[in-house]
Amino acid sequence: ADASLFRIGSITKLFTWVSVMQLVQQGKLDLNADINTYLKDFKIPDTYPEPITLNNLMTHTPGFEDLVIGLFGKDSTTLKPLGEILKSQVPMRVRKPGTFASYSNHGTAMAAYIVEQVSGMPFNDYVEKNIIGPLGMTHTTLRQPLPTAFKPNMSKGYKYVEGIFSEQPFEYVPLYPAGSASTTAMDMVPFMRMFLENGKLNGAVVLDSATLALMKTPAHQHDPAVNPMRHGLIDMSRGGVEVIGHGGD
């Protein structure tokens, strides 16, 4: 449990959303500002008069079309700088922001790119310095290909076809802030505990209590009978029990 690495898919998005909230905490990002304020290499077209905000990205309500082609790659040639990929794949705006939640990997990657622009650091460097390192997550990385030290402990995927298991290659995620993380079960424990202990763990402050409380606050709800979206966190409450988290595959 403390050595075997697994791909956690979209749970990676929580590293993006925590990064956004850290910069909100520092006064460097405004959840309600037009994201074009922060984007330098490309701009979101003004298809609708309402601007797209970070709050929209965090609740998956920017109104983007769903782009899936090219989301995964079989080799490292698919990996390019985040800004370059996003500039070439700006999704169409198909509804005004804040209308309906429609899960958006591109929206999450845009948020991570904004973290890069505002912090002045590559996203992987930012996450390692401000989340992974402080929490002591020594077996966690968003980097692709895997760092050499992690490769021997990486779990492998298989396909079962006609009675035979065949090993599959490492899967690359060009929009890596949306789904590239590799980690162990035990490394996820301090990450979860940070959320449960008001943003702090063993003396490390990842988020102050007020900012974490904001992150947990409902931010978009289609109807009172439906669970709301939090700020990057998905509300999974049921049976009167409050449950927030994120799925991944």
Side-chain angles (χ1 to χ4, degrees):
D2 61 352
S4 297
L5 280 79
F6 294 86
R7 308 300 296 282
I8 59 172
S10 284
I11 298 173
T12 305
K13 290 181 172 68
L14 287 182
F15 292 98
T16 299
W17 304 133
V18 169
S19 299
V20 168
M21 295 306 293
Q22 286 179 331
L23 295 176
V24 168
Q25 176 179 300
Q26 296 169 27
K28 296 179 179 179
L29 287 178
D30 180 346
L31 292 180
N32 297 308
D34 184 343
I35 60 173
N36 278 334
T37 304
Y38 306 111
L39 296 172
K40 297 178 181 178
D41 295 335
F42 63 95
K43 297 295 181 183
I44 304 301
D46 57 355
T47 311
Y48 297 90
E50 299 88 354
I52 294 172
T53 66
L54 278 166
N55 188 68
N56 294 139
L57 297 184
M58 298 186 88
T59 56
H60 295 276
T61 60
F64 288 144
E65 64 175 333
D66 189 20
L67 287 178
V68 179
I69 294 174
L71 187 59
F72 301 102
K74 291 185 177 181
D75 57 60
S76 59
T77 62
T78 61
L79 303 180
K80 299 176 182 177
L82 193 56
E84 184 178 329
I85 294 176
L86 290 170
K87 184 177 181 179
S88 66
Q89 296 182 8
V90 177
M92 289 179 61
R93 299 181 65 181
V94 294
R95 64 183 66 87
K96 70 178 184 178
T99 309
F100 297 116
S102 179
Y103 197 72
S104 177
N105 289 289
H106 280 76
T108 305
M110 282 183 192
Y113 182 62
I114 288 170
V115 170
E116 284 191 345
Q117 296 297 296
V118 173
S119 70
M121 299 173 64
F123 186 70
N124 279 330
D125 292 350
Y126 180 92
V127 170
E128 288 170 359
K129 179 180 178 181
N130 295 286
I131 303 174
I132 292 174
L135 291 176
M137 300 170 70
T138 56
H139 291 76
T140 300
T141 184
L142 276 65
R143 296 187 184 274
Q144 304 170 110
L146 277 176
T148 302
F150 292 162
K151 287 182 180 179
N153 292 324
M154 185 70 224
S155 62
K156 297 175 181 177
Y158 294 81
K159 277 188 177 180
Y160 184 73
V161 181
E162 297 182 354
I164 298 174
F165 286 102
S166 59
E167 183 181 319
Q168 300 299 298
F170 183 86
E171 190 173 61
Y172 290 87
V173 185
L175 291 177
Y176 60 91
S180 73
S182 302
T183 187
T184 66
M186 292 305 294
D187 254 24
M188 290 304 290
V189 171
F191 190 65
M192 289 190 291
R193 284 183 59 196
M194 179 272 293
F195 283 102
L196 293 167
E197 299 182 24
N198 287 322
K200 306 176 183 67
L201 188 68
N202 299 329
V205 180
V206 175
L207 291 170
D208 64 34
S209 57
T211 305
L212 181 59
L214 173 61
M215 187 176 184
K216 293 179 178 179
T217 302
H220 177 81
Q221 191 168 18
H222 292 106
D223 184 90
V226 180
N227 289 10
M229 279 295 300
R230 312 290 178 115
H231 291 86
L233 291 158
I234 295 176
D235 189 310
M236 306 174 181
S237 303
R238 62 180 62 193
V241 178
E242 183 183 35
V243 182
I244 53 177
H246 208 289
D249 209 348

